[in-house]
Amino acid sequence: MNYKDLLDITKKHGSPLYVYDSEKIRSQYDRLTAAFSNVKNVKINYAVKALSNISILKLVNSFGAGLDTVSIQEVKLGLLAGVHPSDIIFTPNGVSLDEIEEVSAMGVQINIDNLSILEQFGAKHPEVPVCIRINPHVMAGGNTNISVGHIDSKFGISIHQIPHILRIVENTNMNINGIHMHTGSDILDVEVFLYASEILFDTAKHFNNLDFIDFGSGFKVPYKEGDIETNIEEFGEKLSKRFNSFCKEYGKELTLGFEPGKFLVSEAGYFLARVNVVKQTTSTVFAGIDSGFNHLIRPMLYNSYHDIINISNPEGRERFYSVVGYICETDTFATNRRINEITEGDILAFKNAGAYCFSMASNYNSRYRPAEVLWHEGNDYLIRKRETFDDLVKNQIEATFFKKQLVPA
Ligand SMILES: *Cc1c(COP(=O)(O)O)cnc(C)c1O
């Protein structure tokens, strides 16, 4: 899709708006599966939390992907999208035994990441196959907000606790059918990932009834020109070889699993916002848009970089702008960024807005969450309507001690 398409869609559906390009999601999926074409059984489970719109779940499922879920609500969204429970894996952290049992009863693969729940679940349901999430203690990237494999991480069961895992499995006679890791969202170095994979293979040898090994995610995508990204092709070649040799050693064709979120949807997404005000101060030119971190929190939360294009004036001469939001809070999207000259009313397109953008949106400042559009084979499909005032008040209940009841708007 091009900037003209984006501009037309924004004119039609209004701003702020999220638009997703199905073709890009497809090509990323194909690229990943092609990299592992030498492995007989590969299963890609799309990480729902990246972008959980039901149409997106249906789309990736139509390619052959299953789902990776972290809450019972995500599982329910998947089922609503028509995904078969056997195509869903539940990888929660810190959720109750009750929730895990409820999801398990739906026929979804359970992945347990702590010894306490493992023991309780195993004692009650020894017949249910369970996957174990391991923490290999490998640092992926340098940002501790997104590195979940390091020593102090709350995720996974430490590899140093394998003897304890084995004792629980033996005592409960439970059935371990998968081994899993997810080391974080920032893997640049293929060698680091392969190193962590070796730890997973070593762990796998302790269990003789496995069906799969799940390598989680951590694929990096480019956010700006010149960014390094995970070399999927090199990675696929190396890990495939090693996986196949492990299967031989293990004596069974296991399934190789991944759970990409960002890799599949990040680059497919655009966030469109309208410039309300151009404000010149003594030092800066601010472009104030009809949005804020309530709609796209990644720049403020993770200091993420999102490319911004003025699609109303893509050929205009470049000037420096700080792009900020309209909420009453510092909500800076970009500082001193070169952008084609901006006039009030122009539409700015934020790139890489597919993953962790809409799914993290809120109603802060009592604003409506944006609408979402799926661009598919040259057509725009509204897949979530913009919220209305009703959405803001529908769960609110007036305290009954007020004598005078509110007048409906
Ligand atoms: C978030 C998450 C993913 C997806 O991570 P990306 O960086 O978006 O690919 C995969 N697996 C688990 C368990 C997760 O929590």
Side-chain angles (χ1 to χ4, degrees), residues 47 49-50 68 70 91 133 155 180 182 184-186 216-219 259-263 355-356:
K49 73 177 188 290
D68 172 63
V70 295
T91 304
R133 178 172 183 174
F155 298 97
H180 168 277
H182 170 64
S185 280
D186 218 357
S217 182
F219 305 107
E259 310 157 348
K262 191 183 279 182
F263 181 78
Y356 308 105

Side-chain angles (χ1 to χ4, degrees), residues 251-319:
K252 186 176 175 187
E253 293 264 20
L254 300 173
T255 295
L256 187 164
F258 280 114
E259 310 157 348
K262 191 183 279 182
F263 181 78
L264 291 181
V265 298
S266 174
E267 295 164 277
Y270 297 86
F271 179 56
L272 293 313
R274 185 178 178 275
V275 177
N276 282 337
V277 197
V278 175
K279 178 174 180 173
Q280 170 90 57
T281 66
T282 45
S283 59
T284 309
V285 185
F286 288 102
I289 61 173
D290 61 352
S291 180
F293 70 58
N294 50 328
H295 297 149
L296 200 174
I297 201 172
R298 299 186 76 258
M300 293 302 293
L301 186 62
Y302 301 125
N303 204 18
S304 310
Y305 181 100
H306 287 262
D307 233 349
I308 302 173
I309 317 286
N310 181 3
I311 59 171
S312 297
N313 184 23
E315 304 301 326
R317 110 188 137 95
E318 288 183 345
R319 301 189 56 184

Side-chain angles (χ1 to χ4, degrees), residues 200-218:
L200 217 51
F201 291 133
D202 277 344
T203 308
K205 287 178 196 156
H206 292 289
F207 304 92
N208 53 23
N209 202 25
L210 295 183
D211 295 320
F212 65 93
I213 299 179
D214 187 330
F215 294 85
S217 182

Side-chain angles (χ1 to χ4, degrees), residues 9-51:
I9 294 169
T10 312
K11 275 182 188 147
K12 179 169 165 189
H13 297 279
S15 70
L17 183 72
Y18 279 99
V19 177
Y20 313 113
D21 179 4
S22 71
E23 200 181 312
K24 182 65 185 175
I25 303 175
R26 172 90 233 190
S27 65
Q28 290 292 94
Y29 181 82
D30 289 347
R31 198 177 147 207
L32 188 55
T33 47
F36 288 89
S37 57
N38 286 331
V39 175
K40 190 158 170 246
N41 306 313
V42 177
K43 184 74 195 179
I44 309 294
N45 289 319
Y46 165 65
V48 173
K49 73 177 188 290
L51 174 59

